[in-house]
Amino acid sequence: DAKTTQPPSMDCAEGRAANLPCNHSTISGNEYVYWYRQIHSQGPQYIIHGLKNNETNEMASLIITEDRKSSTLILPHATLRDTAVYYCIVRGYGGATNKLIFGTGTLLAVQP
Amino acid sequence: NAGVTQTPKFQVLKTGQSMTLQCAQDMNHEYMSWYRQDPGMGLRLIHYSVGAGITDQGEVPNGYNVSRSTTEDFPLRLLSAAPSQTSVYFCASSRQGYNSPLHFGNGTRLTVT
């Protein structure tokens, strides 16, 4: 059922940019791309979302390809506290798009 | 700012017992959902609701019941607990619509012996 695919794990050096990819090749026109992260066993935390334009907030940047079939979450200066599981999901409006499937995400390990 | 509140935080049950995991939100969100997370695994959707009186099944609904009598509350019921239901349960809510982030509770850690 998952509409997104992500690599199971990635490493990043502290202070460097972390680029986390997500494939959503079956995304439809009115579906947004969302990113969340989960630190240890806490509740997942919202990071950013977008439709087709690149987005930036205080936490991260989101780059969505022109065909919208993939996206990249960028943490510009990763710290040890960014070590977490990162989830990419898509969300539309109504019907089956309310069934929000998270998948297994990407475990980002930030190394000192 | 309460947000999404889950109770209890921890619970131990014996096989066959029943219990209700509570979830309440104070943001007037139409959409609410329940996930379970097993060790080393991602979040799996159990049930969700798009408003009072409306619920639907997720990926792993068997063994769980839900109802939505008010906008604020979305309880998850285990009628006869099994060891396979040992997990961490997360409740989430949002406004209905595609431009609305989910807000998660802090989880309920359930052990069934």
Side-chain angles (χ1 to χ4, degrees), chain A residues 48-65:
Chain A
I48 197 168
H49 72 287
L51 181 62
K52 56 183 177 180
N53 297 320
N54 298 339
E55 302 287 345
T56 296
N57 62 21
E58 65 279 4
M59 291 181 68
S61 295
L62 173 60
I63 309 297
I64 303 174
T65 58

Side-chain angles (χ1 to χ4, degrees), chain A residues 1 30 32 34 36 38 41-46 49 87 89 91-96 98-104, chain B residues 31 35 37 41-43 45 48 50 57-59 88 90 94-102 104-107 109:
Chain A
D1 274 315
N30 66 351
Y32 279 67
Y34 281 79
Y36 295 83
Q38 186 177 28
S41 55
Q42 299 174 17
Q45 173 191 24
Y46 164 76
H49 72 287
Y87 297 97
I89 70 168
R91 182 175 196 181
Y93 187 91
N98 283 314
K99 198 171 177 178
L100 301 179
I101 306 298
F102 271 71
T104 53
Chain B
Y31 182 90
Y35 291 88
Q37 185 170 40
M41 297 185 66
L43 299 161
L45 180 65
Y48 63 97
V50 297
Q57 295 182 349
E59 303 171 89
V88 181
F90 291 102
S94 76
R95 289 183 290 117
Q96 177 65 325
Y98 36 59
N99 196 19
S100 306
L102 285 171
F104 281 85
N106 289 326
R109 187 175 296 273

Side-chain angles (χ1 to χ4, degrees), chain B residues 50-62:
Chain B
V50 297
I54 306 170
T55 64
D56 208 342
Q57 295 182 349
E59 303 171 89
V60 289
N62 293 341

